[in-house]
């Protein structure tokens, strides 16, 4: 309790929740995909589901050391996460595995199916590519994990 007050987070609870949400096998598979740069939108969706099982982004950040005081509930839009999941679920299996095939007409179909806009589809695809690039940088050793 004292560490929470001091802004040190609740790392033990975070670890326990992570162990409940993700099996060791799933974690190893995800690590392998990240190292081999074969991370897909399907995997992205799995990450969102795992985060939800752990209590959502707000709860996770509150348990991280130094983040409890800095994160405001207004800063995290859980609805945006749900919209992102709806976008991914509106894609075909092939589109989730190969996002490069998503052209303008596919974006319109996905937007219609997810109740979002083409701009949100573009934003998700850009965010996903940035995530993949970041993973590639960690793999090549150009960046180090912050912990």
């Amino acid at each position: 309790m004292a560490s929470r007050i001091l802004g040190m987070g609740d790392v033990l609870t975070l670890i326990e929740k992570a162990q409940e949400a993700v099996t060791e096998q799933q974690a190893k598979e995800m690590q392998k995909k990240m190292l081999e740069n074969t991370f897909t939108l399907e995997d992205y969706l799995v990450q969102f589901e795992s985060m939800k099982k752990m209590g959502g982004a707000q709860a996770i950040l509150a348990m991280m050391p130094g983040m409890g005081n800095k994160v405001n509930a207004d800063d995290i839009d859980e609805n945006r996460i749900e919209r992102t999941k709806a976008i991914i679920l509106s894609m075909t299996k092939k589109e989730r595995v190969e996002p490069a095939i998503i052209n303008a007409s596919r974006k319109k179909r996905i937007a219609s199916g997810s109740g979002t806009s083409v701009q949100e589809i573009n934003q998700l695809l850009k965010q996903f590519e940035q995530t993949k690039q970041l993973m590639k940088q960690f793999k090549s050793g150009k960046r180090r994990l912050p912990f």
Side-chain angles (χ1 to χ4, degrees), residues 20-32:
E20 291 172 10
V22 182
T23 66
E24 187 174 344
Q25 180 65 29
Q26 289 171 320
K28 285 181 182 180
E29 286 175 22
M30 192 60 63
Q31 180 182 16
K32 182 180 176 188

Side-chain angles (χ1 to χ4, degrees), residues 3 14 53 80 85 93 114 122 130 133 135-136:
S3 63
L14 180 61
K53 287 180 188 175
R80 183 173 179 188
K85 286 170 44 179
K93 184 111 172 137
S114 62
N122 290 334
Q130 289 173 340
Q133 288 299 321
M135 288 179 198
K136 193 183 248 185

Side-chain angles (χ1 to χ4, degrees), residues 8-137:
M8 296 173 64
D10 191 357
V11 178
L12 292 177
T13 303
L14 180 61
I15 292 168
E16 289 170 4
K17 286 186 179 244
Q19 288 174 335
E20 291 172 10
V22 182
T23 66
E24 187 174 344
Q25 180 65 29
Q26 289 171 320
K28 285 181 182 180
E29 286 175 22
M30 192 60 63
Q31 180 182 16
K32 182 180 176 188
K33 286 181 177 195
M34 287 179 183
L35 290 174
E36 294 173 353
N37 204 26
T38 56
F39 191 71
T40 66
L41 285 165
E42 293 260 331
D43 301 319
Y44 215 45
L45 187 61
V46 169
Q47 293 299 309
F48 285 127
E49 289 298 323
S50 297
M51 205 167 66
K52 186 177 181 180
K53 287 180 188 175
M54 293 172 62
Q58 180 71 34
I60 293 169
L61 289 173
M63 288 183 261
M64 295 178 83
M67 296 299 287
N69 304 351
K70 296 178 183 171
V71 179
N72 189 344
D74 298 332
D75 294 338
I76 298 178
D77 185 4
E78 294 285 342
N79 291 328
R80 183 173 179 188
I81 294 171
E82 291 302 316
R83 284 194 309 272
T84 300
K85 286 170 44 179
I87 291 169
I88 296 171
L89 290 170
S90 294
M91 295 177 183
T92 65
K93 184 111 172 137
K94 188 172 183 176
E95 290 168 340
R96 291 180 200 171
V97 175
E98 286 181 67
I101 67 170
I102 301 175
N103 57 21
S105 64
R106 289 178 184 249
K107 288 177 185 178
K108 286 180 186 175
R109 178 189 46 78
I110 294 166
S112 175
S114 62
T116 59
S117 66
V118 173
Q119 290 82 6
E120 288 178 280
I121 310 299
N122 290 334
Q123 189 177 27
L124 168 64
L125 294 173
K126 183 178 178 181
Q127 180 184 354
F128 177 71
E129 283 305 315
Q130 289 173 340
T131 301
K132 284 185 74 170
Q133 288 299 321
L134 186 62
M135 288 179 198
K136 193 183 248 185
Q137 288 177 352

